[in-house]
Amino acid sequence: MEQDLARTYDSRAKIAIKQQIRDEILPQIRKYEAEYWQLLAQVAPSCAVEEVDARNAIVQVVQEVELIENKPSVRYPDEFMQLLLEIRDKLNEPGVPAAAKAKLALPLLPGILSYEVELDTENALRQAFQPLRGLFKKALKKK
C-alpha cells in the first residue's frame, strides 16, 4: 500500500490508501508492538546490560523524545505527552545506573506506542525507542 501511495497521483486514491492503512493495518501493528514491548518489559529485569550500551541508548532516546516534544507543527494529546515526558524523566533520573533506567522505562512504552498518531509521528516514535529495543535484543542474545 505504501508503494501504491508513492506511485499514485490521484489525491482521492491517496486519501483512500491512507485511510485503509490507518483503519486496517495500523491497529494490527500497534497490537503486536504493544505485545512485544510488554514481553520485553517482562524479560528485561533478568537481562545483563552493559552500562555503556545502556547509557548510549538512553542518550539517543532522550534526544528523540525531545525532538518529538519540541515539534511545533504537531499537537499531541495531553495524555500522550504526559507519558512521553514521564519516560524522559525516568531516563534522566540522577544517581540511577543507565541499565536500571532503561529497565524502568520499558513498562511505559506500550502505552506510548498504542496511541492513534499520524504516520510520520509513528515513525518518529519507532525510531525514538529503537535504541532500547536494540539494547535488550543484544542482551537477550547473550543469554
Side-chain angles (χ1 to χ4, degrees):
M1 285 184 188
E2 287 180 341
Q3 290 174 352
D4 290 342
L5 188 62
R7 284 186 252 142
T8 302
Y9 294 104
D10 181 23
S11 61
R12 287 185 210 160
K14 283 188 177 209
I15 291 170
I17 293 169
K18 286 180 182 179
Q19 286 176 336
Q20 192 174 7
I21 290 170
R22 185 188 69 227
D23 296 341
E24 296 174 15
I25 296 171
L26 290 180
Q28 289 288 27
I29 291 172
R30 285 190 188 100
K31 175 184 163 193
Y32 291 119
E33 281 188 339
E35 182 181 340
Y36 171 84
W37 285 103
Q38 287 170 344
L39 291 171
L40 188 57
Q42 290 173 5
V43 298
S46 64
C47 290
V49 176
E50 296 291 327
E51 189 66 18
V52 172
D53 293 339
R55 194 174 314 118
N56 291 337
I58 286 172
V59 167
Q60 290 176 334
V61 170
V62 169
Q63 288 172 346
E64 292 291 336
V65 168
E66 288 172 351
L67 285 174
I68 293 169
E69 180 185 8
N70 296 319
K71 196 172 187 179
S73 61
V74 182
R75 173 81 176 118
Y76 301 107
D78 291 337
E79 188 179 352
F80 171 82
M81 287 307 297
Q82 184 179 352
L83 278 171
L84 196 61
L85 296 178
E86 188 177 337
I87 289 171
R88 185 203 59 199
D89 292 345
K90 280 211 179 294
L91 296 176
N92 281 330
E93 283 181 359
V96 179
K101 290 179 189 181
K103 291 175 184 181
L104 289 172
L106 281 179
L108 298 171
L109 291 175
I112 282 283
L113 297 171
S114 66
Y115 265 89
E116 283 274 332
V117 290
E118 296 176 18
L119 289 175
D120 64 329
T121 307
E122 186 169 339
N123 290 334
L125 284 174
R126 190 171 286 122
Q127 182 178 353
F129 297 110
Q130 186 63 34
L132 287 180
R133 178 183 284 181
L135 177 70
F136 288 103
K137 192 174 185 179
K138 183 177 165 184
L140 286 170
K141 284 182 180 178
K142 290 180 182 178
K143 278 184 126 181

